[in-house]
Amino acid sequence: LETQSQRSSPLGVPTGKTTEEIPFERELAEIAVKREWTIDELESAIAEKLLDRSHELPSDDNGYWLKKVPEQLLQDIVSELQLESASEVNGM
Amino acid sequence: VNVVNTKRRELDVRQVSRALNIPYNDIYRTIRFHAIARIPVRKHRGRLMIPEDALPLLQRIHYERKHPRIPNGWVRLADFCRQHNLRNYQALRWAKKLGIARRFPVSNGYYIHEDNDKIHILLSICRTGQPPKDEWVLLTEAVRSKRLRTRVHSLLYLVEPIRIGKSIYLRRDDLELLKQTVTQR
């Protein structure tokens, strides 16, 4: 049986040895579903938002890069993506 | 007395969509994110209102959004990654570091400068985790002497090394130049 530590996150990204979740994982998964994005496209969208804010993209060395994005910054990006998804899906 | 009606006729997004024969979500996105600074869009009871006489301009803005003018040699990140079977994030991160990724006005997303000399470095790093071996060397492997390496290290600002994690890669020519500089001092 697959153990908790081996399981992938709902985003499809291996969570490694710890059971620590990616911040805003559920919100990000919802955005991906709404926009019909693959994980790669979702990662790319977040990365582009980081670059637009003049932030360097963290490396994947020693853990998944998304976990290295400061939480407040990631929250802002998630909100922006949610807003864009909402306007795309609902119109206004 | 003739009263001139100065009030312009306005359309909401649904009406604009019908008038221009463009899907609602598509034209909404153009209005909301691209046209708002160029045509007098106003919000009325939760709806975006667009002056009817601005429709030709809106149509042009929409066309520019869908067909952005991109200089030759630049390719959309997503297309580049699909073509070379690369992970978008990794390609974008390294392309940005190498200075061959940028956004263009009115375009969506990032573009990669495919005609650039550095494109083979990007492809190599994304595929193998290191720059092309024929041109680049790992500092710790190329300079075994710790003392010499420390001295070369202090002159790295003279060249353009590539740092991947803790590893430092140098062009073969640059390394020779640095070694010469160190020994001449």
Side-chain angles (χ1 to χ4, degrees):
Chain A
L1 276 175
E2 201 179 37
T3 63
Q4 179 72 27
S5 62
Q6 290 169 321
R7 226 175 276 158
S8 292
S9 73
L11 282 181
V13 177
T15 49
K17 286 177 183 173
T18 66
T19 55
E20 191 191 343
E21 283 190 0
I22 296 161
F24 311 106
E25 188 166 316
R26 195 170 55 82
E27 290 85 347
L28 288 170
E30 281 170 5
I31 291 166
V33 170
K34 269 189 191 163
R35 303 288 286 266
E36 297 179 10
W37 278 342
T38 60
I39 300 307
D40 207 18
E41 287 165 336
L42 176 66
E43 280 186 345
S44 180
I46 299 166
E48 290 184 8
K49 296 278 180 205
L50 281 171
L51 290 177
D52 289 347
R53 289 165 165 79
S54 305
H55 277 269
E56 202 171 315
L57 302 181
S59 77
D60 260 341
D61 308 331
N62 309 317
Y64 185 39
W65 68 273
L66 201 50
K67 285 185 181 178
K68 297 175 192 167
V69 178
E71 200 161 325
Q72 183 57 52
L73 180 60
L74 189 57
Q75 185 169 23
D76 291 347
I77 290 171
V78 168
S79 304
E80 201 175 313
L81 289 172
Q82 281 173 329
L83 198 70
E84 286 175 13
S85 311
S87 57
E88 187 140 287
V89 173
N90 305 323
M92 187 60 203
Chain B
V1 178
N2 288 332
V3 178
V4 179
N5 185 7
T6 53
K7 215 174 176 187
R8 298 157 98 186
R9 193 175 167 236
E10 290 176 315
L11 304 177
D12 65 17
V13 180
R14 206 165 294 283
Q15 289 168 320
V16 171
S17 162
R18 250 181 261 135
L20 298 180
N21 197 24
I22 297 169
Y24 180 91
N25 284 345
D26 212 7
I27 195 65
Y28 175 82
R29 199 167 174 78
T30 300
I31 296 167
R32 177 77 175 76
F33 299 109
H34 299 267
I36 213 147
R38 292 168 67 185
I39 57 175
V41 179
R42 74 182 182 98
K43 209 168 177 181
H44 176 67
R45 293 183 182 174
R47 289 187 302 170
L48 291 178
M49 303 302 291
I50 298 98
E52 192 178 28
D53 57 7
L55 289 196
L57 176 58
L58 177 62
Q59 196 168 23
R60 214 170 74 211
I61 295 169
H62 183 76
Y63 184 84
E64 281 171 12
R65 176 170 86 80
K66 303 300 277 189
H67 307 91
R69 263 174 263 151
I70 304 296
N72 287 340
W74 290 81
V75 59
R76 273 174 59 89
L77 170 73
D79 295 339
F80 177 81
C81 290
R82 205 173 301 121
Q83 189 190 336
H84 295 284
N85 197 24
L86 303 177
R87 186 176 155 213
N88 287 11
Y89 175 77
Q90 199 185 23
L92 178 59
R93 179 168 173 264
W94 279 104
K96 193 73 188 166
K97 271 179 183 275
L98 294 167
I100 55 172
R102 62 167 287 198
R103 250 189 211 287
F104 289 96
V106 300
S107 68
N108 282 326
Y110 274 78
Y111 282 73
I112 306 285
H113 194 196
E114 208 174 24
D115 280 358
N116 197 289
D117 292 343
K118 290 179 178 167
I119 206 76
H120 69 287
I121 302 175
L122 172 69
L123 289 172
S124 175
I125 292 176
C126 290
R127 284 174 183 154
T128 66
Q130 50 188 283
K133 273 186 173 173
D134 53 345
E135 199 184 335
W136 295 78
V137 287
L138 183 61
L139 181 60
T140 48
E141 280 178 8
V143 183
R144 291 288 183 188
S145 156
K146 206 172 174 181
R147 193 161 160 265
L148 181 58
R149 203 161 63 226
T150 308
R151 293 172 71 191
V152 166
H153 207 280
S154 68
L155 295 176
L156 284 181
Y157 67 91
L158 293 173
V159 295
E160 275 186 77
I162 293 179
R163 292 166 199 270
I164 301 179
K166 285 178 183 170
S167 306
I168 296 172
Y169 291 87
L170 292 166
R171 284 184 198 274
R172 288 182 194 277
D173 299 350
D174 287 343
L175 179 62
E176 287 313 309
L177 175 83
L178 293 186
K179 275 160 68 173
Q180 276 175 25
T181 312
V182 161
T183 49
Q184 279 166 10
R185 281 192 174 186

